[in-house]
Amino acid sequence: MSEPTHRAAVTAESRALVIGSVGFLALGIVAFLLVGREPVPLSGRGSAGDIAALGTAVLGAGAVVAGCMQRGQPWSLPAPSSSARSSSALSSSALSSSARRSRIRNSIDVAGLALAHAFIFLLGWLALFAIFQRAFIGAVLYPVAAAILVGTTGAISAYTAYLSALSMTAYRLSALLAGFLVTGILTSMLTAENPQWWQENLSALGMSSDVSGVAFNFTLIVAGVVVTTLAGYATATLAATATTSAARHRVKVLEGGIVLIGVFLAGVGLFPVDERFGIHTLFASGMVVVFASLIVRIRALVPSISATFAALGWVFLAVILVAAVLWFPVGYYNLTAVELIAASLVFAWLIVLIRNLAAVDADQLDATLHARPLSQPTSPAAPPAPRAADGTPAEP
């Protein structure tokens, strides 16, 4: 039983090493050709850092797509229960339509994952090379050294991106979302041309066409796509184990609410406040409204979720309301502070929600595995617990 798993894990690592080696050679050669004969700085325009950042973004996105293709499906969703299958007798045309929607959804999800990884590599390597430049003031890289260093960044990025996509779970995707949001927003803040942007509002970061504005808006758009991806991850087991129409309706409402938050978040980035004030405000307000409605109904939508998490949601909502009152009419805070508090709590709650739903899934799976030998004593042995595509035990 352990030998096939062992071979699967070794195969996944072997393929990751091959992809990393290809990344090293490809980006190393490109860097050597771009650098030419003159030495280049570590950071700045035309530097080794710029080549590494752009190259790893492309390689990382490609490695994510390769990992998802190797996995067979972007997500390892549980199969529907027999009762769910029997209760939903669909026609062939309906099944075909559902399959098309599934393919479109999977394509969007893979694109979101690829863009999130690419953006993290882009900003991460730019920041790291900038730190290196400050640590080695005046240092330059000659062509061969630059090619080796840049190629190494390509190998690291391609290797990690492939394995990340191959073993993606709800837990890891929520961590990816958190890291992506922090990286993008901080980059926008640090590169803002107007140092007094915070005196206006948080959306002021997206009003310019420089690096700051592009980073802010792009972060929100891709984060919105990732949130819609999280909706599928988070509700997969709930949907598969739902045996009644009421339970399936609750799952659809929950998934729809999370998807709406992602759509509204992407809309905030698509329509900057200085160009489409009304639409921008509508999307931002809609996101908060959906967030509040999910908090109010979370115990009804997921009865098995913990009371502690439900109470945490009410606390977050109360803090947002107090912060809003302190801005207007009290005038203690400015609008930027309220937006930062609200945005931080909304995404903190969303990430914790994903982790709590994953915990609910794990408990349901554990209960099913323990109950199966009792209910079917004469049936064949239960199949082994699901594993990720790289052979390691899959997280919920």
Side-chain angles (χ1 to χ4, degrees):
M1 295 294 291
S2 61
E3 187 62 23
T5 298
H6 173 71
R7 288 200 299 268
V10 170
T11 300
E13 284 292 337
S14 298
R15 288 171 176 165
L17 289 174
V18 170
I19 290 177
S21 300
V22 172
F24 175 83
L25 292 175
L27 199 52
I29 292 173
V30 169
F32 186 80
L33 294 176
L34 290 178
V35 169
R37 297 182 179 181
E38 298 297 326
V40 293
L42 287 166
S43 180
R45 186 177 295 275
S47 64
D50 283 356
I51 300 172
L54 293 172
T56 54
V58 175
L59 286 175
V64 168
V65 174
C68 290
M69 292 177 62
Q70 175 62 34
R71 192 168 181 170
Q73 282 184 326
W75 340 123
S76 295
L77 300 183
S81 61
S82 58
S83 58
R85 289 195 299 267
S86 61
S87 62
S88 56
L90 301 176
S91 64
S92 58
S93 61
L95 288 173
S96 176
S97 176
S98 177
R100 286 195 298 269
R101 288 196 300 269
S102 178
R103 286 193 295 269
I104 294 173
R105 172 70 180 273
N106 286 343
S107 299
I108 294 174
D109 291 345
V110 172
L113 280 178
L115 288 174
H117 281 82
F119 201 53
I120 288 175
F121 287 135
L122 174 68
L123 299 180
W125 286 117
L126 281 176
L128 192 58
F129 273 87
I131 293 173
F132 284 160
Q133 186 68 76
R134 294 194 177 189
F136 300 94
I137 298 176
V140 294
L141 293 174
Y142 288 92
V144 175
I148 293 175
L149 182 58
V150 173
T152 301
T153 65
I156 295 173
S157 301
Y159 175 84
T160 56
Y162 176 79
L163 290 179
S164 174
L166 200 61
S167 57
M168 185 60 67
T169 63
Y171 285 121
R172 294 172 183 173
L173 188 55
S174 63
L176 175 69
L177 175 63
F180 175 70
L181 281 170
V182 170
T183 302
I185 298 302
L186 282 180
T187 299
S188 179
M189 292 178 178
L190 294 174
T191 57
E193 289 186 351
N194 178 15
Q196 305 299 321
W197 64 266
W198 55 271
Q199 295 183 358
E200 300 179 34
N201 51 65
L202 186 61
S203 298
L205 289 172
M207 293 194 306
S208 63
S209 58
D210 58 1
V211 174
S212 175
V214 172
F216 181 81
N217 293 325
F218 188 76
T219 297
L220 296 185
I221 294 170
V222 177
V225 177
V226 174
V227 169
T228 63
T229 302
L230 272 170
Y233 268 106
T235 59
T237 302
L238 292 176
T241 56
T243 57
T244 65
S245 59
R248 287 189 289 273
H249 175 71
R250 290 197 300 267
V251 174
K252 288 181 180 179
V253 171
L254 176 62
E255 182 179 7
I258 300 175
V259 169
L260 272 179
I261 291 178
V263 171
F264 287 153
L265 177 62
V268 172
L270 280 171
F271 301 99
V273 66
D274 59 328
E275 297 178 6
R276 297 288 189 274
F277 176 80
I279 300 177
H280 179 94
T281 305
L282 178 64
F283 278 124
S285 303
M287 184 170 59
V288 177
V289 170
V290 175
F291 162 73
S293 66
L294 287 178
I295 287 179
V296 172
R297 301 186 60 189
I298 190 63
R299 289 303 298 275
L301 296 175
V302 190
S304 54
I305 207 163
S306 69
T308 304
F309 173 75
L312 179 67
W314 284 102
V315 171
F316 280 8
L317 190 58
V319 171
I320 293 175
L321 292 176
V322 170
V325 171
L326 289 177
W327 165 58
F328 181 83
V330 175
Y332 184 78
Y333 290 126
N334 64 1
L335 181 56
T336 303
V338 179
E339 289 179 325
L340 283 173
I341 292 172
S344 300
L345 293 182
V346 167
F347 289 110
W349 182 86
L350 185 61
I351 291 171
V352 177
L353 169 66
I354 301 304
R355 296 186 63 85
N356 274 264
L357 291 177
V360 170
D361 292 348
D363 287 344
Q364 289 182 350
L365 178 62
D366 185 64
T368 302
L369 293 177
H370 281 80
R372 189 170 299 167
L374 297 177
S375 58
Q376 299 176 353
T378 59
S379 62
R387 293 179 174 270
D390 60 356
T392 58
E395 298 178 35

